[in-house]
Amino acid sequence: AVPGSTVELGCSARGDPAPQVQWHKEHGDLPWGRHEVDREHTLRLYAVTAADAGAYVCTAQSQLGTAAATTVLHV
């Protein structure tokens, strides 16, 4: 990603009942005041900086179990 840009990281999780979806950064916190997660579980990071680089994990959890996917952001 280019510094200062907005990045969107998608996460598709479906089920019945619908799973609860959470995002976190593997080594650190999501950028305070510069992120949001929409109804489709897309994580948006605004005005990214080099400090935002790293692995981001989407975790979906329901009564049937837990699934996780990781993506790596390069800035």
Side-chain angles (χ1 to χ4, degrees), residues 5-45:
S5 66
T6 297
V7 173
E8 293 187 352
L9 305 176
C11 181
S12 179
R14 293 181 182 83
D16 188 14
Q20 294 218 338
V21 175
Q22 293 184 328
W23 278 98
H24 73 274
K25 189 175 180 187
E26 268 192 352
H27 302 289
D29 297 321
L30 293 174
W32 191 83
R34 295 187 296 110
H35 79 276
E36 70 176 1
V37 178
D38 68 17
R39 289 169 37 118
E40 285 78 39
H41 314 301
T42 299
L43 172 65
R44 283 189 188 80
L45 305 173

PDB file of all heavy atoms in Angstrom, residues 5-45:
ATOM      1  N   SER A   5      -2.643   6.196   1.993  1.00  0.00           N
ATOM      2  CA  SER A   5      -3.813   5.681   1.283  1.00  0.00           C
ATOM      3  C   SER A   5      -4.752   4.939   2.233  1.00  0.00           C
ATOM      4  O   SER A   5      -4.445   4.715   3.399  1.00  0.00           O
ATOM      5  CB  SER A   5      -3.385   4.753   0.149  1.00  0.00           C
ATOM      6  OG  SER A   5      -2.776   3.586   0.666  1.00  0.00           O
ATOM      7  N   THR A   6      -5.924   4.564   1.698  1.00  0.00           N
ATOM      8  CA  THR A   6      -6.884   3.739   2.416  1.00  0.00           C
ATOM      9  C   THR A   6      -6.766   2.314   1.910  1.00  0.00           C
ATOM     10  O   THR A   6      -6.698   2.087   0.701  1.00  0.00           O
ATOM     11  CB  THR A   6      -8.322   4.256   2.193  1.00  0.00           C
ATOM     12  OG1 THR A   6      -8.423   5.572   2.741  1.00  0.00           O
ATOM     13  CG2 THR A   6      -9.344   3.355   2.863  1.00  0.00           C
ATOM     14  N   VAL A   7      -6.738   1.359   2.825  1.00  0.00           N
ATOM     15  CA  VAL A   7      -6.609  -0.056   2.479  1.00  0.00           C
ATOM     16  C   VAL A   7      -7.870  -0.783   2.933  1.00  0.00           C
ATOM     17  O   VAL A   7      -8.378  -0.523   4.029  1.00  0.00           O
ATOM     18  CB  VAL A   7      -5.377  -0.672   3.171  1.00  0.00           C
ATOM     19  CG1 VAL A   7      -5.311  -2.171   2.962  1.00  0.00           C
ATOM     20  CG2 VAL A   7      -4.107  -0.007   2.677  1.00  0.00           C
ATOM     21  N   GLU A   8      -8.381  -1.680   2.075  1.00  0.00           N
ATOM     22  CA  GLU A   8      -9.523  -2.511   2.429  1.00  0.00           C
ATOM     23  C   GLU A   8      -9.097  -3.968   2.434  1.00  0.00           C
ATOM     24  O   GLU A   8      -8.534  -4.463   1.461  1.00  0.00           O
ATOM     25  CB  GLU A   8     -10.669  -2.311   1.432  1.00  0.00           C
ATOM     26  CG  GLU A   8     -11.280  -0.946   1.477  1.00  0.00           C
ATOM     27  CD  GLU A   8     -12.516  -0.825   0.595  1.00  0.00           C
ATOM     28  OE1 GLU A   8     -12.800  -1.773  -0.176  1.00  0.00           O
ATOM     29  OE2 GLU A   8     -13.185   0.207   0.666  1.00  0.00           O
ATOM     30  N   LEU A   9      -9.368  -4.648   3.544  1.00  0.00           N
ATOM     31  CA  LEU A   9      -9.070  -6.069   3.674  1.00  0.00           C
ATOM     32  C   LEU A   9     -10.394  -6.802   3.866  1.00  0.00           C
ATOM     33  O   LEU A   9     -11.117  -6.549   4.834  1.00  0.00           O
ATOM     34  CB  LEU A   9      -8.147  -6.318   4.875  1.00  0.00           C
ATOM     35  CG  LEU A   9      -6.831  -5.538   4.891  1.00  0.00           C
ATOM     36  CD1 LEU A   9      -6.077  -5.807   6.189  1.00  0.00           C
ATOM     37  CD2 LEU A   9      -5.981  -5.903   3.691  1.00  0.00           C
ATOM     38  N   GLY A  10     -10.721  -7.681   2.933  1.00  0.00           N
ATOM     39  CA  GLY A  10     -12.001  -8.376   2.978  1.00  0.00           C
ATOM     40  C   GLY A  10     -11.931  -9.658   3.787  1.00  0.00           C
ATOM     41  O   GLY A  10     -10.882 -10.287   3.901  1.00  0.00           O
ATOM     42  N   CYS A  11     -13.078 -10.042   4.337  1.00  0.00           N
ATOM     43  CA  CYS A  11     -13.194 -11.290   5.093  1.00  0.00           C
ATOM     44  C   CYS A  11     -14.592 -11.837   4.858  1.00  0.00           C
ATOM     45  O   CYS A  11     -15.581 -11.208   5.236  1.00  0.00           O
ATOM     46  CB  CYS A  11     -12.968 -11.023   6.577  1.00  0.00           C
ATOM     47  SG  CYS A  11     -13.058 -12.523   7.574  1.00  0.00           S
ATOM     48  N   SER A  12     -14.678 -12.980   4.219  1.00  0.00           N
ATOM     49  CA  SER A  12     -15.972 -13.592   3.918  1.00  0.00           C
ATOM     50  C   SER A  12     -16.231 -14.731   4.890  1.00  0.00           C
ATOM     51  O   SER A  12     -15.461 -15.691   4.948  1.00  0.00           O
ATOM     52  CB  SER A  12     -15.971 -14.102   2.476  1.00  0.00           C
ATOM     53  OG  SER A  12     -17.197 -14.712   2.177  1.00  0.00           O
ATOM     54  N   ALA A  13     -17.293 -14.605   5.658  1.00  0.00           N
ATOM     55  CA  ALA A  13     -17.659 -15.650   6.608  1.00  0.00           C
ATOM     56  C   ALA A  13     -19.179 -15.783   6.607  1.00  0.00           C
ATOM     57  O   ALA A  13     -19.895 -14.809   6.827  1.00  0.00           O
ATOM     58  CB  ALA A  13     -17.156 -15.302   8.004  1.00  0.00           C
ATOM     59  N   ARG A  14     -19.649 -17.002   6.340  1.00  0.00           N
ATOM     60  CA  ARG A  14     -21.090 -17.246   6.298  1.00  0.00           C
ATOM     61  C   ARG A  14     -21.427 -18.462   7.150  1.00  0.00           C
ATOM     62  O   ARG A  14     -20.587 -19.327   7.363  1.00  0.00           O
ATOM     63  CB  ARG A  14     -21.526 -17.500   4.863  1.00  0.00           C
ATOM     64  CG  ARG A  14     -21.385 -16.294   3.971  1.00  0.00           C
ATOM     65  CD  ARG A  14     -21.867 -16.616   2.557  1.00  0.00           C
ATOM     66  NE  ARG A  14     -21.706 -15.477   1.676  1.00  0.00           N
ATOM     67  CZ  ARG A  14     -20.586 -15.147   1.058  1.00  0.00           C
ATOM     68  NH1 ARG A  14     -19.504 -15.875   1.236  1.00  0.00           N
ATOM     69  NH2 ARG A  14     -20.528 -14.101   0.267  1.00  0.00           N
ATOM     70  N   GLY A  15     -22.660 -18.539   7.565  1.00  0.00           N
ATOM     71  CA  GLY A  15     -23.108 -19.689   8.330  1.00  0.00           C
ATOM     72  C   GLY A  15     -24.494 -19.447   8.880  1.00  0.00           C
ATOM     73  O   GLY A  15     -25.042 -18.355   8.775  1.00  0.00           O
ATOM     74  N   ASP A  16     -25.081 -20.492   9.441  1.00  0.00           N
ATOM     75  CA  ASP A  16     -26.392 -20.393  10.063  1.00  0.00           C
ATOM     76  C   ASP A  16     -26.320 -21.117  11.395  1.00  0.00           C
ATOM     77  O   ASP A  16     -26.245 -22.347  11.411  1.00  0.00           O
ATOM     78  CB  ASP A  16     -27.456 -21.000   9.163  1.00  0.00           C
ATOM     79  CG  ASP A  16     -28.858 -20.751   9.684  1.00  0.00           C
ATOM     80  OD1 ASP A  16     -29.003 -19.887  10.573  1.00  0.00           O
ATOM     81  OD2 ASP A  16     -29.800 -21.420   9.227  1.00  0.00           O
ATOM     82  N   PRO A  17     -26.264 -20.397  12.483  1.00  0.00           N
ATOM     83  CA  PRO A  17     -26.371 -18.936  12.586  1.00  0.00           C
ATOM     84  C   PRO A  17     -25.115 -18.234  12.084  1.00  0.00           C
ATOM     85  O   PRO A  17     -24.053 -18.845  11.987  1.00  0.00           O
ATOM     86  CB  PRO A  17     -26.540 -18.701  14.091  1.00  0.00           C
ATOM     87  CG  PRO A  17     -25.855 -19.872  14.726  1.00  0.00           C
ATOM     88  CD  PRO A  17     -26.079 -21.038  13.778  1.00  0.00           C
ATOM     89  N   ALA A  18     -25.271 -16.954  11.759  1.00  0.00           N
ATOM     90  CA  ALA A  18     -24.152 -16.169  11.234  1.00  0.00           C
ATOM     91  C   ALA A  18     -23.029 -16.103  12.267  1.00  0.00           C
ATOM     92  O   ALA A  18     -23.279 -15.885  13.453  1.00  0.00           O
ATOM     93  CB  ALA A  18     -24.620 -14.766  10.883  1.00  0.00           C
ATOM     94  N   PRO A  19     -21.798 -16.322  11.820  1.00  0.00           N
ATOM     95  CA  PRO A  19     -20.672 -16.270  12.766  1.00  0.00           C
ATOM     96  C   PRO A  19     -20.350 -14.842  13.192  1.00  0.00           C
ATOM     97  O   PRO A  19     -20.656 -13.890  12.483  1.00  0.00           O
ATOM     98  CB  PRO A  19     -19.511 -16.862  11.965  1.00  0.00           C
ATOM     99  CG  PRO A  19     -19.862 -16.595  10.545  1.00  0.00           C
ATOM    100  CD  PRO A  19     -21.361 -16.652  10.470  1.00  0.00           C
ATOM    101  N   GLN A  20     -19.731 -14.722  14.350  1.00  0.00           N
ATOM    102  CA  GLN A  20     -19.216 -13.429  14.805  1.00  0.00           C
ATOM    103  C   GLN A  20     -17.824 -13.283  14.207  1.00  0.00           C
ATOM    104  O   GLN A  20     -17.019 -14.215  14.261  1.00  0.00           O
ATOM    105  CB  GLN A  20     -19.145 -13.390  16.319  1.00  0.00           C
ATOM    106  CG  GLN A  20     -20.490 -13.446  16.974  1.00  0.00           C
ATOM    107  CD  GLN A  20     -20.559 -12.557  18.191  1.00  0.00           C
ATOM    108  OE1 GLN A  20     -19.547 -12.223  18.783  1.00  0.00           O
ATOM    109  NE2 GLN A  20     -21.753 -12.175  18.568  1.00  0.00           N
ATOM    110  N   VAL A  21     -17.555 -12.115  13.620  1.00  0.00           N
ATOM    111  CA  VAL A  21     -16.288 -11.881  12.935  1.00  0.00           C
ATOM    112  C   VAL A  21     -15.533 -10.772  13.653  1.00  0.00           C
ATOM    113  O   VAL A  21     -16.115  -9.737  13.993  1.00  0.00           O
ATOM    114  CB  VAL A  21     -16.523 -11.513  11.456  1.00  0.00           C
ATOM    115  CG1 VAL A  21     -15.217 -11.159  10.769  1.00  0.00           C
ATOM    116  CG2 VAL A  21     -17.216 -12.659  10.735  1.00  0.00           C
ATOM    117  N   GLN A  22     -14.241 -11.008  13.879  1.00  0.00           N
ATOM    118  CA  GLN A  22     -13.384 -10.003  14.508  1.00  0.00           C
ATOM    119  C   GLN A  22     -12.070  -9.911  13.743  1.00  0.00           C
ATOM    120  O   GLN A  22     -11.586 -10.901  13.202  1.00  0.00           O
ATOM    121  CB  GLN A  22     -13.087 -10.364  15.957  1.00  0.00           C
ATOM    122  CG  GLN A  22     -14.289 -10.311  16.856  1.00  0.00           C
ATOM    123  CD  GLN A  22     -13.904 -10.585  18.298  1.00  0.00           C
ATOM    124  OE1 GLN A  22     -12.981 -11.326  18.582  1.00  0.00           O
ATOM    125  NE2 GLN A  22     -14.635  -9.972  19.212  1.00  0.00           N
ATOM    126  N   TRP A  23     -11.518  -8.717  13.699  1.00  0.00           N
ATOM    127  CA  TRP A  23     -10.205  -8.457  13.107  1.00  0.00           C
ATOM    128  C   TRP A  23      -9.225  -8.100  14.213  1.00  0.00           C
ATOM    129  O   TRP A  23      -9.582  -7.416  15.173  1.00  0.00           O
ATOM    130  CB  TRP A  23     -10.281  -7.276  12.149  1.00  0.00           C
ATOM    131  CG  TRP A  23     -10.791  -7.601  10.787  1.00  0.00           C
ATOM    132  CD1 TRP A  23     -12.072  -7.436  10.335  1.00  0.00           C
ATOM    133  CD2 TRP A  23     -10.029  -8.098   9.688  1.00  0.00           C
ATOM    134  NE1 TRP A  23     -12.153  -7.818   9.025  1.00  0.00           N
ATOM    135  CE2 TRP A  23     -10.915  -8.228   8.597  1.00  0.00           C
ATOM    136  CE3 TRP A  23      -8.693  -8.460   9.521  1.00  0.00           C
ATOM    137  CZ2 TRP A  23     -10.497  -8.694   7.355  1.00  0.00           C
ATOM    138  CZ3 TRP A  23      -8.282  -8.924   8.283  1.00  0.00           C
ATOM    139  CH2 TRP A  23      -9.178  -9.035   7.214  1.00  0.00           C
ATOM    140  N   HIS A  24      -7.981  -8.526  14.062  1.00  0.00           N
ATOM    141  CA  HIS A  24      -6.914  -8.029  14.929  1.00  0.00           C
ATOM    142  C   HIS A  24      -5.592  -8.071  14.170  1.00  0.00           C
ATOM    143  O   HIS A  24      -5.467  -8.748  13.149  1.00  0.00           O
ATOM    144  CB  HIS A  24      -6.832  -8.809  16.248  1.00  0.00           C
ATOM    145  CG  HIS A  24      -6.281 -10.192  16.121  1.00  0.00           C
ATOM    146  ND1 HIS A  24      -7.059 -11.279  15.807  1.00  0.00           N
ATOM    147  CD2 HIS A  24      -5.021 -10.666  16.267  1.00  0.00           C
ATOM    148  CE1 HIS A  24      -6.301 -12.365  15.766  1.00  0.00           C
ATOM    149  NE2 HIS A  24      -5.059 -12.020  16.043  1.00  0.00           N
ATOM    150  N   LYS A  25      -4.644  -7.324  14.667  1.00  0.00           N
ATOM    151  CA  LYS A  25      -3.293  -7.328  14.104  1.00  0.00           C
ATOM    152  C   LYS A  25      -2.462  -8.297  14.922  1.00  0.00           C
ATOM    153  O   LYS A  25      -2.546  -8.301  16.147  1.00  0.00           O
ATOM    154  CB  LYS A  25      -2.700  -5.911  14.149  1.00  0.00           C
ATOM    155  CG  LYS A  25      -1.397  -5.787  13.393  1.00  0.00           C
ATOM    156  CD  LYS A  25      -0.918  -4.345  13.354  1.00  0.00           C
ATOM    157  CE  LYS A  25       0.392  -4.260  12.585  1.00  0.00           C
ATOM    158  NZ  LYS A  25       0.978  -2.933  12.668  1.00  0.00           N
ATOM    159  N   GLU A  26      -1.660  -9.138  14.254  1.00  0.00           N
ATOM    160  CA  GLU A  26      -0.904 -10.171  14.964  1.00  0.00           C
ATOM    161  C   GLU A  26       0.036  -9.609  16.019  1.00  0.00           C
ATOM    162  O   GLU A  26       0.113 -10.126  17.111  1.00  0.00           O
ATOM    163  CB  GLU A  26      -0.112 -11.036  13.975  1.00  0.00           C
ATOM    164  CG  GLU A  26      -0.860 -12.250  13.533  1.00  0.00           C
ATOM    165  CD  GLU A  26       0.016 -13.242  12.798  1.00  0.00           C
ATOM    166  OE1 GLU A  26       1.184 -12.958  12.491  1.00  0.00           O
ATOM    167  OE2 GLU A  26      -0.488 -14.333  12.511  1.00  0.00           O
ATOM    168  N   HIS A  27       0.778  -8.577  15.690  1.00  0.00           N
ATOM    169  CA  HIS A  27       1.749  -8.013  16.633  1.00  0.00           C
ATOM    170  C   HIS A  27       1.466  -6.536  16.821  1.00  0.00           C
ATOM    171  O   HIS A  27       2.118  -5.686  16.230  1.00  0.00           O
ATOM    172  CB  HIS A  27       3.181  -8.234  16.146  1.00  0.00           C
ATOM    173  CG  HIS A  27       3.501  -9.686  15.936  1.00  0.00           C
ATOM    174  ND1 HIS A  27       3.654 -10.572  16.980  1.00  0.00           N
ATOM    175  CD2 HIS A  27       3.666 -10.406  14.811  1.00  0.00           C
ATOM    176  CE1 HIS A  27       3.904 -11.777  16.497  1.00  0.00           C
ATOM    177  NE2 HIS A  27       3.917 -11.706  15.188  1.00  0.00           N
ATOM    178  N   GLY A  28       0.450  -6.234  17.612  1.00  0.00           N
ATOM    179  CA  GLY A  28       0.092  -4.844  17.847  1.00  0.00           C
ATOM    180  C   GLY A  28      -1.409  -4.656  17.788  1.00  0.00           C
ATOM    181  O   GLY A  28      -2.172  -5.616  17.683  1.00  0.00           O
ATOM    182  N   ASP A  29      -1.808  -3.413  17.843  1.00  0.00           N
ATOM    183  CA  ASP A  29      -3.220  -3.072  17.832  1.00  0.00           C
ATOM    184  C   ASP A  29      -3.616  -2.513  16.475  1.00  0.00           C
ATOM    185  O   ASP A  29      -2.773  -1.991  15.733  1.00  0.00           O
ATOM    186  CB  ASP A  29      -3.512  -2.012  18.904  1.00  0.00           C
ATOM    187  CG  ASP A  29      -3.224  -2.526  20.309  1.00  0.00           C
ATOM    188  OD1 ASP A  29      -3.535  -3.712  20.577  1.00  0.00           O
ATOM    189  OD2 ASP A  29      -2.697  -1.753  21.116  1.00  0.00           O
ATOM    190  N   LEU A  30      -4.911  -2.599  16.173  1.00  0.00           N
ATOM    191  CA  LEU A  30      -5.418  -1.913  14.988  1.00  0.00           C
ATOM    192  C   LEU A  30      -5.202  -0.418  15.198  1.00  0.00           C
ATOM    193  O   LEU A  30      -5.245   0.072  16.334  1.00  0.00           O
ATOM    194  CB  LEU A  30      -6.910  -2.210  14.801  1.00  0.00           C
ATOM    195  CG  LEU A  30      -7.254  -3.660  14.457  1.00  0.00           C
ATOM    196  CD1 LEU A  30      -8.774  -3.846  14.442  1.00  0.00           C
ATOM    197  CD2 LEU A  30      -6.662  -4.070  13.129  1.00  0.00           C
ATOM    198  N   PRO A  31      -4.916   0.323  14.118  1.00  0.00           N
ATOM    199  CA  PRO A  31      -4.608   1.753  14.284  1.00  0.00           C
ATOM    200  C   PRO A  31      -5.766   2.521  14.921  1.00  0.00           C
ATOM    201  O   PRO A  31      -6.850   2.587  14.361  1.00  0.00           O
ATOM    202  CB  PRO A  31      -4.306   2.240  12.867  1.00  0.00           C
ATOM    203  CG  PRO A  31      -4.818   1.185  11.955  1.00  0.00           C
ATOM    204  CD  PRO A  31      -4.878  -0.087  12.722  1.00  0.00           C
ATOM    205  N   TRP A  32      -5.519   3.056  16.093  1.00  0.00           N
ATOM    206  CA  TRP A  32      -6.550   3.750  16.852  1.00  0.00           C
ATOM    207  C   TRP A  32      -7.074   4.956  16.072  1.00  0.00           C
ATOM    208  O   TRP A  32      -6.295   5.787  15.603  1.00  0.00           O
ATOM    209  CB  TRP A  32      -5.987   4.194  18.203  1.00  0.00           C
ATOM    210  CG  TRP A  32      -7.056   4.685  19.122  1.00  0.00           C
ATOM    211  CD1 TRP A  32      -7.856   3.934  19.919  1.00  0.00           C
ATOM    212  CD2 TRP A  32      -7.464   6.031  19.305  1.00  0.00           C
ATOM    213  NE1 TRP A  32      -8.735   4.724  20.596  1.00  0.00           N
ATOM    214  CE2 TRP A  32      -8.526   6.022  20.228  1.00  0.00           C
ATOM    215  CE3 TRP A  32      -7.056   7.246  18.765  1.00  0.00           C
ATOM    216  CZ2 TRP A  32      -9.168   7.176  20.637  1.00  0.00           C
ATOM    217  CZ3 TRP A  32      -7.700   8.396  19.172  1.00  0.00           C
ATOM    218  CH2 TRP A  32      -8.744   8.361  20.102  1.00  0.00           C
ATOM    219  N   GLY A  33      -8.414   5.025  15.910  1.00  0.00           N
ATOM    220  CA  GLY A  33      -9.054   6.154  15.245  1.00  0.00           C
ATOM    221  C   GLY A  33      -8.899   6.160  13.736  1.00  0.00           C
ATOM    222  O   GLY A  33      -9.382   7.081  13.075  1.00  0.00           O
ATOM    223  N   ARG A  34      -8.255   5.144  13.159  1.00  0.00           N
ATOM    224  CA  ARG A  34      -8.048   5.124  11.710  1.00  0.00           C
ATOM    225  C   ARG A  34      -8.500   3.809  11.075  1.00  0.00           C
ATOM    226  O   ARG A  34      -8.042   3.425  10.026  1.00  0.00           O
ATOM    227  CB  ARG A  34      -6.571   5.355  11.366  1.00  0.00           C
ATOM    228  CG  ARG A  34      -6.055   6.719  11.746  1.00  0.00           C
ATOM    229  CD  ARG A  34      -4.650   6.962  11.231  1.00  0.00           C
ATOM    230  NE  ARG A  34      -3.673   6.056  11.827  1.00  0.00           N
ATOM    231  CZ  ARG A  34      -3.045   5.074  11.179  1.00  0.00           C
ATOM    232  NH1 ARG A  34      -3.257   4.847   9.915  1.00  0.00           N
ATOM    233  NH2 ARG A  34      -2.169   4.300  11.817  1.00  0.00           N
ATOM    234  N   HIS A  35      -9.429   3.114  11.747  1.00  0.00           N
ATOM    235  CA  HIS A  35      -9.938   1.878  11.145  1.00  0.00           C
ATOM    236  C   HIS A  35     -11.432   1.735  11.410  1.00  0.00           C
ATOM    237  O   HIS A  35     -11.970   2.346  12.333  1.00  0.00           O
ATOM    238  CB  HIS A  35      -9.191   0.653  11.684  1.00  0.00           C
ATOM    239  CG  HIS A  35      -9.639   0.212  13.047  1.00  0.00           C
ATOM    240  ND1 HIS A  35      -9.157   0.779  14.201  1.00  0.00           N
ATOM    241  CD2 HIS A  35     -10.531  -0.720  13.431  1.00  0.00           C
ATOM    242  CE1 HIS A  35      -9.731   0.207  15.239  1.00  0.00           C
ATOM    243  NE2 HIS A  35     -10.579  -0.713  14.797  1.00  0.00           N
ATOM    244  N   GLU A  36     -12.076   0.931  10.562  1.00  0.00           N
ATOM    245  CA  GLU A  36     -13.471   0.570  10.771  1.00  0.00           C
ATOM    246  C   GLU A  36     -13.717  -0.777  10.110  1.00  0.00           C
ATOM    247  O   GLU A  36     -12.975  -1.186   9.212  1.00  0.00           O
ATOM    248  CB  GLU A  36     -14.424   1.628  10.216  1.00  0.00           C
ATOM    249  CG  GLU A  36     -14.458   1.704   8.703  1.00  0.00           C
ATOM    250  CD  GLU A  36     -15.478   2.703   8.184  1.00  0.00           C
ATOM    251  OE1 GLU A  36     -16.151   3.358   8.988  1.00  0.00           O
ATOM    252  OE2 GLU A  36     -15.586   2.807   6.961  1.00  0.00           O
ATOM    253  N   VAL A  37     -14.758  -1.462  10.575  1.00  0.00           N
ATOM    254  CA  VAL A  37     -15.179  -2.725   9.985  1.00  0.00           C
ATOM    255  C   VAL A  37     -16.641  -2.558   9.592  1.00  0.00           C
ATOM    256  O   VAL A  37     -17.473  -2.179  10.421  1.00  0.00           O
ATOM    257  CB  VAL A  37     -15.021  -3.897  10.977  1.00  0.00           C
ATOM    258  CG1 VAL A  37     -15.504  -5.199  10.345  1.00  0.00           C
ATOM    259  CG2 VAL A  37     -13.575  -4.020  11.441  1.00  0.00           C
ATOM    260  N   ASP A  38     -16.955  -2.833   8.308  1.00  0.00           N
ATOM    261  CA  ASP A  38     -18.330  -2.641   7.845  1.00  0.00           C
ATOM    262  C   ASP A  38     -19.163  -3.914   8.040  1.00  0.00           C
ATOM    263  O   ASP A  38     -18.683  -4.918   8.561  1.00  0.00           O
ATOM    264  CB  ASP A  38     -18.362  -2.134   6.401  1.00  0.00           C
ATOM    265  CG  ASP A  38     -17.886  -3.156   5.388  1.00  0.00           C
ATOM    266  OD1 ASP A  38     -17.812  -4.364   5.708  1.00  0.00           O
ATOM    267  OD2 ASP A  38     -17.589  -2.752   4.243  1.00  0.00           O
ATOM    268  N   ARG A  39     -20.407  -3.862   7.592  1.00  0.00           N
ATOM    269  CA  ARG A  39     -21.343  -4.974   7.793  1.00  0.00           C
ATOM    270  C   ARG A  39     -20.930  -6.234   7.032  1.00  0.00           C
ATOM    271  O   ARG A  39     -21.339  -7.338   7.378  1.00  0.00           O
ATOM    272  CB  ARG A  39     -22.750  -4.552   7.378  1.00  0.00           C
ATOM    273  CG  ARG A  39     -23.362  -3.551   8.331  1.00  0.00           C
ATOM    274  CD  ARG A  39     -24.635  -2.910   7.801  1.00  0.00           C
ATOM    275  NE  ARG A  39     -25.488  -3.796   7.040  1.00  0.00           N
ATOM    276  CZ  ARG A  39     -26.722  -4.124   7.365  1.00  0.00           C
ATOM    277  NH1 ARG A  39     -27.252  -3.648   8.469  1.00  0.00           N
ATOM    278  NH2 ARG A  39     -27.430  -4.917   6.600  1.00  0.00           N
ATOM    279  N   GLU A  40     -20.123  -6.075   5.991  1.00  0.00           N
ATOM    280  CA  GLU A  40     -19.629  -7.232   5.230  1.00  0.00           C
ATOM    281  C   GLU A  40     -18.291  -7.735   5.771  1.00  0.00           C
ATOM    282  O   GLU A  40     -17.614  -8.523   5.132  1.00  0.00           O
ATOM    283  CB  GLU A  40     -19.493  -6.877   3.742  1.00  0.00           C
ATOM    284  CG  GLU A  40     -20.812  -6.803   2.996  1.00  0.00           C
ATOM    285  CD  GLU A  40     -21.548  -5.494   3.277  1.00  0.00           C
ATOM    286  OE1 GLU A  40     -20.875  -4.440   3.363  1.00  0.00           O
ATOM    287  OE2 GLU A  40     -22.782  -5.527   3.429  1.00  0.00           O
ATOM    288  N   HIS A  41     -17.889  -7.236   6.931  1.00  0.00           N
ATOM    289  CA  HIS A  41     -16.666  -7.644   7.630  1.00  0.00           C
ATOM    290  C   HIS A  41     -15.387  -7.153   6.951  1.00  0.00           C
ATOM    291  O   HIS A  41     -14.310  -7.697   7.194  1.00  0.00           O
ATOM    292  CB  HIS A  41     -16.598  -9.166   7.813  1.00  0.00           C
ATOM    293  CG  HIS A  41     -17.868  -9.775   8.310  1.00  0.00           C
ATOM    294  ND1 HIS A  41     -18.443  -9.411   9.506  1.00  0.00           N
ATOM    295  CD2 HIS A  41     -18.690 -10.695   7.760  1.00  0.00           C
ATOM    296  CE1 HIS A  41     -19.560 -10.094   9.669  1.00  0.00           C
ATOM    297  NE2 HIS A  41     -19.734 -10.874   8.633  1.00  0.00           N
ATOM    298  N   THR A  42     -15.498  -6.137   6.097  1.00  0.00           N
ATOM    299  CA  THR A  42     -14.316  -5.555   5.464  1.00  0.00           C
ATOM    300  C   THR A  42     -13.645  -4.600   6.444  1.00  0.00           C
ATOM    301  O   THR A  42     -14.298  -3.715   6.993  1.00  0.00           O
ATOM    302  CB  THR A  42     -14.696  -4.798   4.174  1.00  0.00           C
ATOM    303  OG1 THR A  42     -15.277  -5.724   3.254  1.00  0.00           O
ATOM    304  CG2 THR A  42     -13.488  -4.137   3.539  1.00  0.00           C
ATOM    305  N   LEU A  43     -12.345  -4.790   6.637  1.00  0.00           N
ATOM    306  CA  LEU A  43     -11.562  -3.904   7.494  1.00  0.00           C
ATOM    307  C   LEU A  43     -10.986  -2.793   6.626  1.00  0.00           C
ATOM    308  O   LEU A  43     -10.335  -3.070   5.616  1.00  0.00           O
ATOM    309  CB  LEU A  43     -10.430  -4.675   8.170  1.00  0.00           C
ATOM    310  CG  LEU A  43      -9.395  -3.843   8.945  1.00  0.00           C
ATOM    311  CD1 LEU A  43     -10.040  -3.152  10.147  1.00  0.00           C
ATOM    312  CD2 LEU A  43      -8.231  -4.720   9.387  1.00  0.00           C
ATOM    313  N   ARG A  44     -11.239  -1.543   6.998  1.00  0.00           N
ATOM    314  CA  ARG A  44     -10.675  -0.392   6.297  1.00  0.00           C
ATOM    315  C   ARG A  44      -9.684   0.301   7.214  1.00  0.00           C
ATOM    316  O   ARG A  44      -9.997   0.608   8.363  1.00  0.00           O
ATOM    317  CB  ARG A  44     -11.760   0.598   5.900  1.00  0.00           C
ATOM    318  CG  ARG A  44     -12.549   0.161   4.712  1.00  0.00           C
ATOM    319  CD  ARG A  44     -13.492   1.258   4.192  1.00  0.00           C
ATOM    320  NE  ARG A  44     -14.350   0.693   3.168  1.00  0.00           N
ATOM    321  CZ  ARG A  44     -15.434  -0.044   3.413  1.00  0.00           C
ATOM    322  NH1 ARG A  44     -15.802  -0.279   4.648  1.00  0.00           N
ATOM    323  NH2 ARG A  44     -16.142  -0.537   2.421  1.00  0.00           N
ATOM    324  N   LEU A  45      -8.492   0.525   6.676  1.00  0.00           N
ATOM    325  CA  LEU A  45      -7.455   1.264   7.388  1.00  0.00           C
ATOM    326  C   LEU A  45      -7.231   2.564   6.641  1.00  0.00           C
ATOM    327  O   LEU A  45      -6.964   2.543   5.430  1.00  0.00           O
ATOM    328  CB  LEU A  45      -6.149   0.456   7.425  1.00  0.00           C
ATOM    329  CG  LEU A  45      -6.230  -0.950   8.011  1.00  0.00           C
ATOM    330  CD1 LEU A  45      -4.917  -1.682   7.824  1.00  0.00           C
ATOM    331  CD2 LEU A  45      -6.598  -0.889   9.479  1.00  0.00           C
TER     332      LEU A  45
END
